[in-house]
Amino acid sequence: ETGVTQTPRHLVMGMTNKKSLKCEQHLGHNAMYWYKQSAKKPLELMFVYSLEERVENNSVPSRFSPECPNSSHLFLHLHTLQPEDSALYLCASSQDWASGKLEQYFGPGTRLTVT
Amino acid sequence: QKEVEQNSGPLSVPEGAIASLNCTYSDRVSQSFFWYRQYSGKSPELIMSIYSNGDKEDGRFTAQLNKASQYVSLLIRDSQPSDSATYLCAVVNYGGSQGNLIFGKGTKLSVKP
């Protein structure tokens, strides 16, 4: 595997379900991100992890819960979602701030539909 | 609120022409700028990064940066139908503890054969 991978690629879930999205990066980076992309809106940053520590949470509802067990893996745990949470969820990775290399590389995304 | 503005388009150019995509940003201290290409149904793909005023060329792509005017652009020479996509401008946000990116809404480019 190369680059950034995400599973599943598509997910349909009911409002009472619990599911998790998984992201893995094979680039040797140490910062990882979750973004939400809805139609006709800019990419919205949800969570940032640097060296496995959460450094930013952009006021995301508590029904989204991130987990970063190590610098290569990132999860997004979902529970009691709303239909408006249907979107493309993108994971990205980069080197950390100190390196000055701030280019972010994206995974293929998970297309989430909440019914 | 820091913002990145792009014309949403669609921008339509004939095959072989130069496509010019523009982006303005509100944060004067921004130092790092990126262009991403996103095909329909796919994730964003990094195509250019630029850090200094002036031009940076990579193949058919040229990024131009003018920090005084808070303006960054992307030129695509000899446009091909395969260049048809949405182009996202991204600017580093130095307000947080990590170098987060702020994205524009993107400009949709259509290259007609």
Side-chain angles (χ1 to χ4, degrees):
Chain A
E1 292 275 18
T2 59
V4 182
T5 58
Q6 288 186 245
T7 54
R9 296 292 305 278
H10 300 272
L11 178 61
V12 179
M13 59 187 288
M15 290 191 283
T16 58
N17 290 160
K18 286 186 181 181
K19 295 285 184 184
S20 295
L21 310 184
K22 179 184 175 183
C23 175
E24 185 172 357
Q25 60 95 3
H26 308 268
L27 299 170
H29 291 162
N30 46 32
M32 296 186 77
Y33 310 79
W34 279 118
Y35 287 90
K36 176 184 178 182
Q37 189 174 39
S38 306
K40 300 188 179 178
K41 284 188 178 181
L43 278 165
E44 300 172 56
L45 179 65
M46 300 176 73
F47 300 103
V48 180
Y49 278 83
S50 178
L51 298 171
E52 300 149 45
E53 231 180 272
R54 191 160 79 187
V55 296
E56 192 136 339
N57 169 1
N58 278 3
S59 303
V60 178
S62 59
R63 57 186 183 268
F64 295 91
S65 174
E67 179 189 0
C68 186
N70 54 61
S71 60
S72 299
H73 293 86
L74 185 65
F75 295 89
L76 187 63
H77 304 299
L78 316 171
H79 65 97
T80 58
L81 294 191
Q82 304 299 309
E84 61 264 29
D85 296 322
S86 299
L88 181 66
Y89 288 84
L90 291 159
C91 173
S93 71
S94 74
Q95 294 286 22
D96 66 10
W97 176 280
S99 72
K101 293 186 183 296
L102 299 173
E103 292 89 344
Q104 291 183 20
Y105 295 87
F106 285 85
T110 295
R111 173 67 63 185
L112 174 66
T113 303
V114 181
T115 60
Chain B
Q1 180 75 0
K2 296 171 185 174
E3 293 182 340
V4 176
E5 299 285 343
Q6 294 182 256
N7 187 326
S8 61
L11 173 66
S12 185
V13 300
E15 184 174 357
I18 295 175
S20 178
L21 305 161
N22 305 315
C23 173
T24 59
Y25 57 94
S26 62
D27 188 2
R28 284 198 164 274
V29 302
S30 294
Q31 298 292 320
S32 307
F33 307 87
F34 307 96
W35 282 100
Y36 286 82
R37 176 176 62 198
Q38 187 172 24
Y39 292 113
S40 181
K42 303 293 185 183
S43 63
E45 173 193 8
L46 179 67
I47 54 173
M48 288 287 282
S49 57
I50 185 165
Y51 300 92
S52 305
N53 276 332
D55 295 0
K56 179 182 177 183
E57 188 174 315
D58 183 0
R60 295 187 295 112
F61 298 100
T62 298
Q64 299 175 317
L65 175 61
N66 183 327
K67 290 182 183 178
S69 301
Q70 295 174 240
Y71 175 91
V72 58
S73 66
L74 180 70
L75 301 178
I76 306 175
R77 289 183 301 282
D78 188 24
S79 294
Q80 302 297 309
S82 58
D83 295 325
S84 299
T86 296
Y87 289 80
L88 305 174
C89 174
V91 176
V92 172
N93 172 22
Y94 288 87
S97 55
Q98 174 67 2
N100 304 328
L101 299 185
I102 301 176
F103 285 84
K105 289 185 180 181
T107 298
K108 187 170 184 178
L109 172 66
S110 177
V111 181
K112 303 294 186 185

